[in-house]
Amino acid sequence: MDHTWVRELSAGSPEDGVTSLGTRHRASSVIGENATAWAVTAGRRMADYILETLVDWPGDHSDGEAEALRRATEASTLDTLTALVAGDRNVLAQSAEPLQNVSYYVRHGIPLDEVVRNVHAGQEFLTQELLGCVEALVPEESRMRVVKEMTRVVIESWSLFARNISVQYADEYERWSRSRDGVTARLIRRIINGVRVDRAEAARELGHELDQSHAGLVLWLAGVDVDSARAFDFGAVAREIAAVSLSGHHPLVVMRGFSQADVWLGSPDAAVADRLRDHGAWPSPLRIAVGRPGSGLPGFRSTYQEAKAAQHVARLSRTRNAVTAYEDVRLVSLLAADAERAGAFVRSVLGPLTAQDERTVELRRTLAAHIDANGSIALTSRALHTHRNTVTYRLRRIDQLLGEKRNNTELRCALELAACLPSAVLAPPHP
């Protein structure tokens, strides 16, 4: 059947995709640019649907996991549309990017039945989306016939896909469980989760002394597609970081998919983040989150957890800075642990001060400085390098917008979130 209606799909607000350019170009050559943009947007919604539906999902719900899921849902949506237009049910089963997620799930200990449940939730979402599109785009006299054929192609394509996922998972699990990287990752997971281990034996397995000080880091690539990420040498970068940080030991590196690595430095200089910033020669897409150095097994755990928290803030802020240190963002990391609730809090506390125009940004900055100056206009003026009359005018305007009775503690927290994470907490949530 001719599914030309697919080419009529169009995204109302196109988004940047996280699938590789190769995947998008291949799909676009069959279904067109507009349908490709629709698939990218629908893929993001599919990822959100899966995370909301599978409330007992055993993953860690980290930013990296969400990005890996979105990459797979975008690709599977693109490949499903390609299958409809090309009439080839094998397109999805042979798709590279969703299958690459299998490696991610194996490495993070997600069981196969949970992965398959993930696939079924994705199929359910996409079927409903496409049914709505058929109703909107296909003439009524042809609609029932198109719905039957579309449903059959989707079911067959996703059944082949699920079968191939299962085979790939078994093969990857066997390979990973026997590999050196697999042994290392499982041992580190036990340490991070607080499971008791024999320190001497663990140190031999890891090639990393545990009774020393550690600095945990998370390295990842921002805005880089999978094809480019595969070529990036995280090991070489980790060794350069160790040298810059005056760590006299070979860094412990654990890959988390193609675009992220967890790193531990042994006995580094205390000012790791400052040294990395001063170095200043890192590749432009590289981002580095740094935990505070800590000693022994507790330090091994805490510095990594801090690096993960710093990474979360860096991702939310969409920073272009190469280095984010936990000690610089620890308050924001606590306030933004739940980004959705943090946004609701900011919008509730700041109200009309959540606008993102330049004048409102100045008002927020002035209010924050005034709270920090304990209400002194002179100190506020000095901190902002602004005439006191201007500060007084802004404060009057703030009083008009917020009222004079307010909780300065909540206000200061909301202002800090707005300053550090404007794109995450000021904009209204997705419908």
Side-chain angles (χ1 to χ4, degrees), residues 380-387:
T380 304
S381 174
R382 194 177 307 161
L384 296 174
H385 306 289
T386 303
H387 195 279

Side-chain angles (χ1 to χ4, degrees), residues 156-226:
E156 291 180 2
S157 295
W158 282 72
S159 294
L160 289 171
F161 177 50
R163 191 180 310 158
N164 204 17
I165 286 280
S166 299
V167 172
Q168 292 285 337
Y169 187 99
D171 292 344
E172 179 65 16
Y173 182 83
E174 179 68 18
R175 186 197 67 77
W176 176 248
S177 63
R178 294 175 179 273
S179 70
R180 173 70 183 171
D181 288 344
V183 172
T184 298
R186 286 196 300 276
L187 179 54
I188 287 177
R189 190 181 302 127
R190 294 182 67 201
I191 294 173
I192 295 302
N193 290 338
V195 178
R196 185 182 296 276
V197 297
D198 183 287
R199 294 190 185 202
E201 183 179 339
R204 284 195 299 272
E205 286 286 349
L206 296 175
H208 181 87
E209 179 57 55
L210 294 173
D211 291 323
Q212 63 175 328
S213 66
H214 314 275
L217 302 90
V218 179
L219 316 183
W220 76 101
L221 302 177
V224 171
D225 64 46
V226 176

Side-chain angles (χ1 to χ4, degrees), residues 116-158:
V116 172
R117 197 160 66 108
N118 179 316
V119 171
H120 289 324
Q123 178 186 342
E124 175 187 329
F125 171 86
L126 187 55
T127 300
Q128 293 302 316
E129 289 285 303
L130 292 176
L131 285 172
C133 293
V134 168
E135 184 174 358
L137 297 172
V138 176
E140 187 173 357
E141 62 271 16
S142 306
R143 197 173 296 157
M144 185 57 67
R145 182 166 50 88
V146 171
V147 164
K148 287 182 179 179
E149 176 62 15
M150 181 274 292
T151 304
R152 185 170 69 84
V153 172
V154 170
I155 290 174
E156 291 180 2
S157 295
W158 282 72

Side-chain angles (χ1 to χ4, degrees), residues 343-357:
F345 167 75
V346 169
R347 292 187 293 274
S348 172
V349 172
L350 296 184
L353 285 185
T354 56
Q356 300 192 58
D357 59 278

Side-chain angles (χ1 to χ4, degrees), residues 333-348:
S333 75
L334 292 170
L335 295 172
D338 183 330
E340 186 174 339
R341 291 177 63 198
F345 167 75
V346 169
R347 292 187 293 274
S348 172

Side-chain angles (χ1 to χ4, degrees), residues 62 71 102 123 156 263 369 374 390 414 431:
S62 65
R71 185 177 296 117
V102 169
Q123 178 186 342
E156 291 180 2
V263 177
N374 292 319
T390 302

